[in-house]
């Protein structure tokens, strides 16, 4: 049994190391001088969303293990839907993109077999790759990831959708850093206020949506306070909604912190390149 458990444990460990490395060193662009006089910039189209996409890709095998073979193909459908959404939502407001991503997250929360009730949680996820746990933190994290899987994955894909930019008109990644029309996501590097305003809109829209859902859950409990199923349906729904809102807020702050970290690393890299020239 222990030999069978080593493969999932190795996947968990490698995924954790990858997330730490991506967060500590989210280097996403490289400037290569081929001797033609014009350096080529690689990675400009997704320089800000690439770290979160890397974490998204890293967590897919972990999520597939927790879902097990019967529900794991849902992750492929989720990825395809998110890729389609990034194209469909191009040019729309940040609030519209946030709302669309939230609908997708809720959709796949139920698609993966969850219900808004504690007894419907998949407690077996805590023992995928383990026969016992000496500490409680590991099973808690595994059950939390299994339950909030759709929100975590959609949240990691959110920067790609929110920061979606038209591709540069120049070919072969030969871009001018002074031309915002040909730098895709590097326009957020060129105009620092654009990144700040986008992140503020992301936070405001997300928090407003989370608070609106909490208000609706509380209102449902108040309206049905004399209902026979108040303690079986409406109260657990409200409690779970509050927990989901708290977890979503913390994870949203992680996404914003990752974007800020990426912006800091990009500025240091381009400052170093400018000094070398």
């Amino acid at each position: 049994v222990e030999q069978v458990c080593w493969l999932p444990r190795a996947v968990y460990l490698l995924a954790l190391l990858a997330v730490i490395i991506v967060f500590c060193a989210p280097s996403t662009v490289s400037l290569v001088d081929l001797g033609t006089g014009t350096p080529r910039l690689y990675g400009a189209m997704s320089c800000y969303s690439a770290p979160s996409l890397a974490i998204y890709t890293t967590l897919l095998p972990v999520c597939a293990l927790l879902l097990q073979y019967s529900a794991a193909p849902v992750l492929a459908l989720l990825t395809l839907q998110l890729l389609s959404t990034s194209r469909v939502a191009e040019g729309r407001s940040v609030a519209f993109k946030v709302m669309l991503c939230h609908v997708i997250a809720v959709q796949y929360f139920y698609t993966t077999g969850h219900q808004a009730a504690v007894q419907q949680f998949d407690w077996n996820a805590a023992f995928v790759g383990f026969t016992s746990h000496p500490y409680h933190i590991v099973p808690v994290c595994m059950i939390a990831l299994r339950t909030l899987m759709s929100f975590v994955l959609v949240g990691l894909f959110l920067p790609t959708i929110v920061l979606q930019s038209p591709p540069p008109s120049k070919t072969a990644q030969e871009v001018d850093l002074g031309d915002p029309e040909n730098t895709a996501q590097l326009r957020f590097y060129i105009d620092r206020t654009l990144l700040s305003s986008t992140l503020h809109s992301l936070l405001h829209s997300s928090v407003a949506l989370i608070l609106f859902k909490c208000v609706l859950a509380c209102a449902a409990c108040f309206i049905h306070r004399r209902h026979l199923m108040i303690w079986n349906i409406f109260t657990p729904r409200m409690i779970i909604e509050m927990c989901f809102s708290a977890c979503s807020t913390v994870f949203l702050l992680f996404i914003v912190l990752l974007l800020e970290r990426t912006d800091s690393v990009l500025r240091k890299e381009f400052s170093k390149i400018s000094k070398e020239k």
Side-chain angles (χ1 to χ4, degrees):
V1 177
E2 286 294 328
Q3 294 179 349
V4 177
C5 294
W6 276 112
L7 179 58
R9 293 177 186 177
V11 173
Y12 300 151
L13 180 60
L14 291 175
L16 179 61
L17 291 176
V19 171
I20 295 174
I21 291 173
V22 170
F23 185 80
C24 294
S27 180
T28 56
V29 297
S30 60
L31 195 64
V32 180
D33 191 356
L34 301 179
T36 59
T38 303
R40 294 188 177 185
L41 183 66
Y42 294 90
M45 288 188 62
S46 59
C47 57
Y48 280 90
S49 60
S52 60
L53 277 180
I55 298 177
Y56 176 92
T57 307
T58 301
L59 288 183
L60 282 179
V62 178
C63 295
L65 285 174
L66 296 180
L67 284 175
Q68 300 182 4
Y69 68 92
S70 59
V74 172
L75 298 176
L77 297 177
L78 173 61
T79 303
L80 291 176
Q81 186 168 350
L82 289 173
L83 289 172
S84 303
T85 303
S86 65
R87 294 297 182 184
V88 172
E90 185 175 336
R92 301 296 186 94
S93 64
V94 175
F96 177 83
K97 294 178 179 179
V98 169
M99 187 176 299
L100 197 59
C101 288
H102 179 75
V103 171
I104 296 175
V106 173
Q107 172 192 352
Y108 280 89
F109 172 78
Y110 292 105
T111 302
T112 51
H114 291 99
Q115 296 290 334
V118 178
Q119 60 268 25
Q120 295 295 330
F121 288 178
D122 186 7
W123 305 106
N124 294 324
F127 299 98
V128 178
F130 297 92
T131 55
S132 62
H133 293 283
Y135 304 102
H136 295 298
I137 184 64
V138 175
V140 168
C141 292
M142 294 176 68
I143 293 173
L145 180 59
R146 174 65 174 89
T147 306
L148 301 172
M149 185 181 301
S150 61
F151 294 92
V152 170
L153 293 178
V154 173
L156 289 171
F157 211 93
L158 187 60
T160 303
I161 297 176
V162 172
L163 305 179
Q164 180 68 27
S165 304
S169 58
K170 294 184 178 180
T171 59
Q173 286 80 27
E174 298 177 356
V175 298
D176 180 9
L177 292 180
D179 185 7
E181 298 296 330
N182 292 291
T183 50
Q185 287 188 8
L186 272 183
R187 61 195 177 100
F188 296 103
Y189 167 81
I190 298 170
D191 188 359
R192 185 65 177 81
T193 59
L194 181 60
L195 179 62
S196 299
S197 62
T198 303
L199 292 181
H200 288 162
S201 299
L202 174 62
L203 285 173
H204 292 164
S205 303
S206 301
V207 171
L209 183 60
I210 289 172
L211 292 177
F212 180 70
K213 289 185 61 182
C214 291
V215 169
L216 289 181
C218 293
C221 279
F222 177 77
I223 294 172
H224 299 92
R225 63 188 181 277
R226 299 186 184 280
H227 197 281
L228 293 176
M229 303 299 291
I230 179 65
W231 297 109
N232 293 332
I233 297 178
F234 300 105
T235 302
R237 169 75 187 195
M238 183 187 69
I239 296 175
I240 291 175
E241 193 64 51
M242 297 296 179
C243 295
F244 282 6
S245 300
C247 295
S248 299
T249 303
V250 172
F251 189 71
L252 181 64
L253 293 177
F254 170 77
I255 294 296
V256 173
L257 184 61
L258 180 61
L259 290 173
E260 292 285 356
R261 171 69 179 161
T262 304
D263 180 69
S264 176
V265 171
L266 281 175
R267 294 185 182 280
K268 288 181 181 179
E269 287 185 355
F270 281 113
S271 177
K272 182 179 179 180
I273 291 174
S274 300
K275 291 179 181 180
E276 291 177 354
K277 289 184 178 181

